[in-house]
Structures are given as structure tokens and as C-alpha cells.
Amino acid sequence: MNLGFIGLGAMGVPMAERLLDAGHTLVVFDVNPAAAQALAARGAKVAASVREVGDQVDTVLLSLPTPQIVNDVCTSASGLVQGSAVRTVVDLSTTGTSMARSVQAALAARGIEFIDSPVSGGRNGAIKGTLAVMVSGPKASFERLSDVLRHIGKLFYIGAEPGMAQTMKLANNLVSAAAMAITSEAVAMGVKAGLDPKIMIDVINAGSGMNTASRDKFPKAVLPRTFDFGFATALMFKDVDLCMREAAGLGADMPVADAVHEIWRQTNEVYGGPHDFTRIAQFVEARMGVVIKPGEA
Ligand code: NAD
């Protein structure tokens, strides 16, 4: 199938590469021209604008950083809504429930279908094609798109209403954000008491405290002190913030989530911009006056 792909970052490039590997052809665009180079070398056609993608292909996938950017790419005067060829937009970004609904309505008014399809599993999952792919929209559209989306991960049909998959994704990322924050605090507390953080992580992973932070993030990016897991602090804070807005709209009382939101807000003030979200461990270290370094407890 000839597909469009807009947003070629940490997630977009590996997902687009898997689609090329599966035999699909791609027309790609990113505001940063250098981002398209690797895909161009593998045969993707590079467009000069969002509009040019929308004029060339029937189905366009998005992997963009913020809800506002997704909105602009879809609905602005130079957006996909003006495209002469596009009929379906699949949003793989974490956009939040209300933005998904409003973009869906704006595109539907112009005869373009909007399917929200956020993903979870990180850059590594995108490379391996093992992402959890959460899809909401008409069941027939889900089935039609399955032949494309199955190449990036395991598909879950969440429901027919626009935004349902975004709600699922926000709940998932709240759990992931909480795990990263609480694992940082628990390990820093142990280091303050004289424990070795490597031994702590090994015990947690063999015991009942095991979670995605102790299993993946600490061994790969915190204990080696590379802080380069592949997800920006700003994006993690965006996700938790979107989740709290969703909770407020629903009248859901979530005191633990309130605390998780606050520590990510503060971490984002210190380690926003280009920093990886595993830097929350350094934020916790500074508050506790310790360094989480194996063999130095
Ligand atoms: P990223 O910042 O690495 O990539 C985003 C890309 O979008 C960049 O290349 C940027 O230049 C491009 N871009 C920005 N504005 C644009 C525009 N107007 N038109 C075209 N391109 C534009 O972000 P990422 O980590 O790849 O995340 C993308 C989305 O996936 C986000 O919504 C994020 O929350 C979500 N997500 C990320 C991860 C992860 O581990 N990185 C995991 C799951 C979901």
C-alpha cells in the first residue's frame, strides 16, 4: 500500500522502517529535513510539506510530539484537511482524548476518517515491532488497517468512539510514569541507607516489586548513567498532564496520580527540553543527596 508518514522522530523512523520492510511504499515528511534521510536512503519518497503528503496518498500515519502539533498538521490551512488524496489519517501519537475527538470531528466534516491509534512499548518496541497498538474508530476501519498496523506491534481494538484508545494510552502511561518515579525514590532511599543499587534492582526484579522501570529503564539507562532510554521528559510530563485533565473531566479522584503528576512537573522544570525521562532518577538523587551508582553505595 502507498502510505504517508508524518513525524520521523524516535518512534516514527523505526515504525516507518518496519512498514518499508513489509513492502509498503511511503511518502514521508518531517519539519526537520535531516529526519527523513535514513528513510529516503531506503526508498521512501520525501515530501516538501504536510499538504504534499495529503495530495499524494490515501492513508497517512502520524507520530508527532504534542496534541497541538497533531491538530495543526490535520486541520490548519496547510494541513491534511486540504489534501486532495487523503481519506484516512491514523494518529500513532499520544494526543489525549479531547484533542482526538475534536480532530476527528474536523476531518469528518471534510470526508476524512481519523483513527486514533496510540502506541506503547518505547523505541525498542518500535524497532522490534512489539508495540501495544491501541485503536479506536469504526470496527470495519480497524480491520481494514490491520494489515498495515500489525507490522508495528500487537493490535488491540479499544472501541468505536474517537478518543477511547487515547484514554487507554493515558492510563497505561500513568502506570509507567508512577513506576519510574517510585522506583527512583525506593532505590535512592536504599542508597542513602548504604545499599548497592545494582543489587537492589536485581532483588526487585526477582521479587514482587518488579515493574517496567526496574526491568527495563534502570538496567539500560539509570545504573549505567547514560540517561538515554529514548523518551523525552517533556513528553512523559505531557502524557501525565493529559491524563490528569482526563481524570478531572471525568470527576475521577486520583490522589496517587496527583503526586505522580507533581513530581513529573518538577522534573520537567529541571530536565525538560532534550533530556530523557530517565533523568527523573537524577532529580530524586539531588533531593536525597545521593548518587545511584553501582558499587558506590
Ligand atoms: P520525537 O520528538 O522524537 O519525534 C517527533 C518528530 O515530529 C520529530 O522528528 C519532529 O521534528 C517532528 N515534527 C514536529 N512538528 C512537526 C510538524 N509540524 N510536521 C512534521 N513533523 C513534525 O517524539 P517521539 O518520541 O518519536 O514521540 C512521538 C509521539 O509518540 C509522541 O506523541 C509520544 O508521546 C509518543 N510515544 C513516544 C514513545 C517513546 O518511547 N519515545 C512511546 C510511545 C508513544
Short mmCIF file of all heavy atoms in Angstrom, two decimals, residues 6-12 29-32 35 50 63-66 69 73 92-94 119-123 169 230-231 235 238-239, ligand 1:
data_model
loop_
_atom_site.label_atom_id
_atom_site.label_comp_id
_atom_site.label_asym_id
_atom_site.label_seq_id
_atom_site.Cartn_x
_atom_site.Cartn_y
_atom_site.Cartn_z
N ILE A 6 4.08 11.08 8.68
CA ILE A 6 4.50 12.43 9.10
C ILE A 6 4.95 12.38 10.56
O ILE A 6 4.20 11.90 11.42
CB ILE A 6 3.34 13.44 8.93
CG1 ILE A 6 2.92 13.51 7.45
CG2 ILE A 6 3.75 14.83 9.44
CD1 ILE A 6 1.72 14.41 7.19
N GLY A 7 6.19 12.87 10.83
CA GLY A 7 6.76 12.84 12.17
C GLY A 7 7.75 11.70 12.27
O GLY A 7 7.39 10.57 12.55
N LEU A 8 9.04 12.03 11.99
CA LEU A 8 10.05 10.98 11.86
C LEU A 8 11.06 11.11 13.00
O LEU A 8 12.24 11.41 12.78
CB LEU A 8 10.72 11.09 10.49
CG LEU A 8 9.73 11.15 9.31
CD1 LEU A 8 10.46 11.50 8.01
CD2 LEU A 8 8.97 9.83 9.17
N GLY A 9 10.58 10.90 14.23
CA GLY A 9 11.44 11.03 15.41
C GLY A 9 11.81 9.67 15.97
O GLY A 9 11.93 8.68 15.24
N ALA A 10 11.99 9.63 17.30
CA ALA A 10 12.42 8.40 17.98
C ALA A 10 11.51 7.23 17.64
O ALA A 10 11.97 6.10 17.47
CB ALA A 10 12.45 8.64 19.49
N MET A 11 10.21 7.47 17.54
CA MET A 11 9.25 6.40 17.25
C MET A 11 8.95 6.30 15.75
O MET A 11 8.78 5.20 15.21
CB MET A 11 7.94 6.65 18.00
CG MET A 11 8.08 6.63 19.50
SD MET A 11 8.59 5.02 20.13
CE MET A 11 7.06 4.12 20.05
N GLY A 12 8.81 7.47 15.10
CA GLY A 12 8.36 7.48 13.71
C GLY A 12 9.30 6.74 12.78
O GLY A 12 8.85 5.93 11.94
N PHE A 29 7.27 12.99 5.63
CA PHE A 29 7.58 14.40 5.87
C PHE A 29 7.89 14.62 7.34
O PHE A 29 7.25 14.03 8.21
CB PHE A 29 6.40 15.31 5.47
CG PHE A 29 6.64 16.75 5.84
CD1 PHE A 29 7.57 17.52 5.15
CD2 PHE A 29 5.97 17.34 6.90
CE1 PHE A 29 7.84 18.84 5.51
CE2 PHE A 29 6.22 18.67 7.27
CZ PHE A 29 7.16 19.42 6.56
N ASP A 30 8.88 15.51 7.58
CA ASP A 30 9.18 15.98 8.94
C ASP A 30 9.64 17.43 8.79
O ASP A 30 10.29 17.78 7.80
CB ASP A 30 10.29 15.13 9.58
CG ASP A 30 10.43 15.36 11.08
OD1 ASP A 30 10.85 16.47 11.50
OD2 ASP A 30 10.10 14.44 11.85
N VAL A 31 9.33 18.28 9.78
CA VAL A 31 9.79 19.67 9.70
C VAL A 31 11.31 19.74 9.72
O VAL A 31 11.89 20.72 9.25
CB VAL A 31 9.22 20.56 10.85
CG1 VAL A 31 7.83 21.04 10.53
CG2 VAL A 31 9.29 19.88 12.19
N ASN A 32 11.94 18.73 10.31
CA ASN A 32 13.41 18.66 10.31
C ASN A 32 13.83 17.79 9.12
O ASN A 32 13.70 16.56 9.17
CB ASN A 32 13.87 18.04 11.64
CG ASN A 32 15.34 17.68 11.64
OD1 ASN A 32 16.10 18.12 10.78
ND2 ASN A 32 15.73 16.86 12.60
N ALA A 35 15.66 14.46 9.38
CA ALA A 35 14.98 13.30 9.97
C ALA A 35 14.57 12.29 8.90
O ALA A 35 14.41 11.10 9.19
CB ALA A 35 13.76 13.75 10.77
N VAL A 50 3.39 18.98 4.62
CA VAL A 50 2.26 18.12 5.04
C VAL A 50 1.25 18.01 3.90
O VAL A 50 0.76 16.93 3.56
CB VAL A 50 1.59 18.75 6.29
CG1 VAL A 50 0.23 18.11 6.56
CG2 VAL A 50 2.49 18.62 7.51
N SER A 63 3.17 10.48 13.74
CA SER A 63 3.84 10.21 15.01
C SER A 63 4.47 11.52 15.46
O SER A 63 5.65 11.77 15.24
CB SER A 63 4.89 9.11 14.87
OG SER A 63 5.51 8.87 16.12
N LEU A 64 3.65 12.37 16.07
CA LEU A 64 4.02 13.76 16.35
C LEU A 64 4.06 14.03 17.85
O LEU A 64 3.34 13.36 18.61
CB LEU A 64 3.03 14.70 15.66
CG LEU A 64 3.09 14.64 14.12
CD1 LEU A 64 1.84 15.24 13.49
CD2 LEU A 64 4.34 15.35 13.62
N PRO A 65 4.86 15.04 18.28
CA PRO A 65 5.09 15.18 19.72
C PRO A 65 3.90 15.64 20.56
O PRO A 65 3.69 15.10 21.63
CB PRO A 65 6.25 16.17 19.80
CG PRO A 65 6.40 16.78 18.46
CD PRO A 65 5.76 15.87 17.47
N THR A 66 3.16 16.65 20.11
CA THR A 66 2.15 17.22 21.02
C THR A 66 0.76 17.25 20.37
O THR A 66 0.63 17.27 19.14
CB THR A 66 2.52 18.68 21.40
OG1 THR A 66 2.43 19.49 20.22
CG2 THR A 66 3.93 18.78 21.98
N ILE A 69 0.38 20.10 17.83
CA ILE A 69 1.02 19.85 16.53
C ILE A 69 0.15 18.89 15.70
O ILE A 69 -0.04 19.10 14.49
CB ILE A 69 2.47 19.34 16.72
CG1 ILE A 69 3.35 20.47 17.26
CG2 ILE A 69 3.04 18.80 15.41
CD1 ILE A 69 4.77 20.07 17.63
N VAL A 73 -1.25 19.91 12.09
CA VAL A 73 -0.94 19.09 10.91
C VAL A 73 -2.23 18.59 10.24
O VAL A 73 -2.30 18.48 9.01
CB VAL A 73 0.00 17.91 11.31
CG1 VAL A 73 0.01 16.81 10.26
CG2 VAL A 73 1.42 18.43 11.56
N LEU A 92 -0.72 7.87 15.52
CA LEU A 92 0.02 6.98 16.42
C LEU A 92 0.57 7.75 17.62
O LEU A 92 1.19 7.17 18.50
CB LEU A 92 1.18 6.33 15.66
CG LEU A 92 0.79 5.56 14.39
CD1 LEU A 92 2.01 5.33 13.50
CD2 LEU A 92 0.14 4.24 14.73
N SER A 93 0.37 9.08 17.66
CA SER A 93 0.90 9.93 18.72
C SER A 93 0.03 9.80 19.97
O SER A 93 -1.10 9.32 19.92
CB SER A 93 0.88 11.40 18.30
OG SER A 93 1.02 11.56 16.91
N THR A 94 0.57 10.31 21.10
CA THR A 94 -0.25 10.44 22.30
C THR A 94 -0.80 11.85 22.30
O THR A 94 -0.09 12.82 22.53
CB THR A 94 0.59 10.16 23.57
OG1 THR A 94 1.24 8.90 23.41
CG2 THR A 94 -0.31 10.13 24.80
N VAL A 119 0.46 4.24 20.71
CA VAL A 119 1.27 3.02 20.87
C VAL A 119 2.03 3.07 22.20
O VAL A 119 2.29 4.14 22.73
CB VAL A 119 2.29 2.88 19.71
CG1 VAL A 119 1.56 2.75 18.37
CG2 VAL A 119 3.27 4.06 19.66
N SER A 120 2.40 1.89 22.70
CA SER A 120 3.21 1.82 23.91
C SER A 120 4.25 0.73 23.72
O SER A 120 4.00 -0.28 23.07
CB SER A 120 2.33 1.50 25.12
OG SER A 120 3.14 1.34 26.27
N GLY A 121 5.42 0.96 24.35
CA GLY A 121 6.48 -0.06 24.25
C GLY A 121 7.82 0.55 23.91
O GLY A 121 8.82 -0.16 23.81
N GLY A 122 7.85 1.89 23.76
CA GLY A 122 9.12 2.59 23.60
C GLY A 122 9.79 2.38 22.25
O GLY A 122 9.30 1.66 21.39
N ARG A 123 10.92 3.04 22.11
CA ARG A 123 11.67 2.98 20.85
C ARG A 123 12.10 1.54 20.54
O ARG A 123 12.06 1.11 19.39
CB ARG A 123 12.89 3.91 20.96
CG ARG A 123 13.69 4.01 19.71
CD ARG A 123 14.73 5.09 19.79
NE ARG A 123 15.79 4.82 18.85
CZ ARG A 123 15.71 4.99 17.53
NH1 ARG A 123 14.62 5.48 17.01
NH2 ARG A 123 16.72 4.70 16.75
N LYS A 169 -4.36 4.72 26.44
CA LYS A 169 -2.92 5.05 26.43
C LYS A 169 -2.55 5.91 27.64
O LYS A 169 -1.49 5.71 28.25
CB LYS A 169 -2.60 5.77 25.11
CG LYS A 169 -1.26 6.47 25.05
CD LYS A 169 -0.08 5.53 25.06
CE LYS A 169 1.22 6.34 25.01
NZ LYS A 169 2.39 5.49 25.23
N GLY A 230 15.28 6.99 25.41
CA GLY A 230 14.63 7.29 24.11
C GLY A 230 13.25 7.90 24.22
O GLY A 230 12.45 7.82 23.28
N PHE A 231 12.95 8.54 25.36
CA PHE A 231 11.65 9.21 25.52
C PHE A 231 11.91 10.47 26.34
O PHE A 231 12.53 10.42 27.40
CB PHE A 231 10.68 8.26 26.25
CG PHE A 231 9.26 8.75 26.36
CD1 PHE A 231 8.61 9.36 25.30
CD2 PHE A 231 8.56 8.58 27.55
CE1 PHE A 231 7.30 9.79 25.42
CE2 PHE A 231 7.24 9.00 27.67
CZ PHE A 231 6.61 9.61 26.60
N LEU A 235 7.75 14.83 27.07
CA LEU A 235 6.65 14.00 26.55
C LEU A 235 6.00 13.19 27.68
O LEU A 235 4.78 13.01 27.69
CB LEU A 235 7.15 13.09 25.43
CG LEU A 235 7.61 13.81 24.14
CD1 LEU A 235 7.99 12.79 23.07
CD2 LEU A 235 6.54 14.74 23.59
N LYS A 238 3.87 15.58 29.50
CA LYS A 238 2.67 15.83 28.68
C LYS A 238 1.64 14.72 28.88
O LYS A 238 0.45 14.98 29.06
CB LYS A 238 3.08 15.91 27.20
CG LYS A 238 1.91 15.93 26.24
CD LYS A 238 2.28 15.40 24.84
CE LYS A 238 2.56 13.92 24.85
NZ LYS A 238 2.69 13.30 23.52
N ASP A 239 2.09 13.48 28.87
CA ASP A 239 1.16 12.34 28.98
C ASP A 239 0.46 12.33 30.34
O ASP A 239 -0.75 12.10 30.43
CB ASP A 239 1.91 11.02 28.79
CG ASP A 239 2.40 10.83 27.35
OD1 ASP A 239 2.09 11.69 26.51
OD2 ASP A 239 3.09 9.83 27.09
P1 NAD B 1 10.19 12.90 18.80
O1 NAD B 1 10.21 14.27 19.36
O2 NAD B 1 11.42 12.06 18.83
O3 NAD B 1 9.68 12.94 17.25
C1 NAD B 1 8.69 13.79 16.79
C2 NAD B 1 9.04 14.19 15.35
O4 NAD B 1 7.98 15.04 14.87
C3 NAD B 1 10.34 15.00 15.25
O5 NAD B 1 11.18 14.41 14.25
C4 NAD B 1 9.86 16.40 14.84
O6 NAD B 1 10.80 17.09 14.01
C5 NAD B 1 8.58 16.08 14.10
N1 NAD B 1 7.66 17.21 14.00
C6 NAD B 1 7.37 18.14 14.93
N2 NAD B 1 6.46 19.02 14.44
C7 NAD B 1 6.17 18.61 13.18
C8 NAD B 1 5.30 19.10 12.16
N3 NAD B 1 4.55 20.19 12.36
N4 NAD B 1 5.26 18.45 10.98
C9 NAD B 1 6.03 17.34 10.76
N5 NAD B 1 6.88 16.83 11.68
C10 NAD B 1 6.94 17.46 12.88
O7 NAD B 1 8.97 12.16 19.56
P2 NAD B 1 8.77 10.57 19.72
O8 NAD B 1 9.44 10.13 20.99
O9 NAD B 1 9.04 9.90 18.43
O10 NAD B 1 7.20 10.54 20.05
C11 NAD B 1 6.22 10.76 19.03
C12 NAD B 1 4.85 10.50 19.66
O11 NAD B 1 4.78 9.14 20.14
C13 NAD B 1 4.56 11.39 20.88
O12 NAD B 1 3.20 11.74 20.89
C14 NAD B 1 4.91 10.49 22.06
O13 NAD B 1 4.20 10.86 23.25
C15 NAD B 1 4.50 9.14 21.54
N6 NAD B 1 5.22 7.99 22.10
C16 NAD B 1 6.57 8.04 22.30
C17 NAD B 1 7.22 6.91 22.84
C18 NAD B 1 8.71 6.88 23.10
O14 NAD B 1 9.19 5.99 23.84
N7 NAD B 1 9.50 7.78 22.52
C19 NAD B 1 6.49 5.75 23.16
C20 NAD B 1 5.11 5.74 22.90
C21 NAD B 1 4.49 6.86 22.38
#
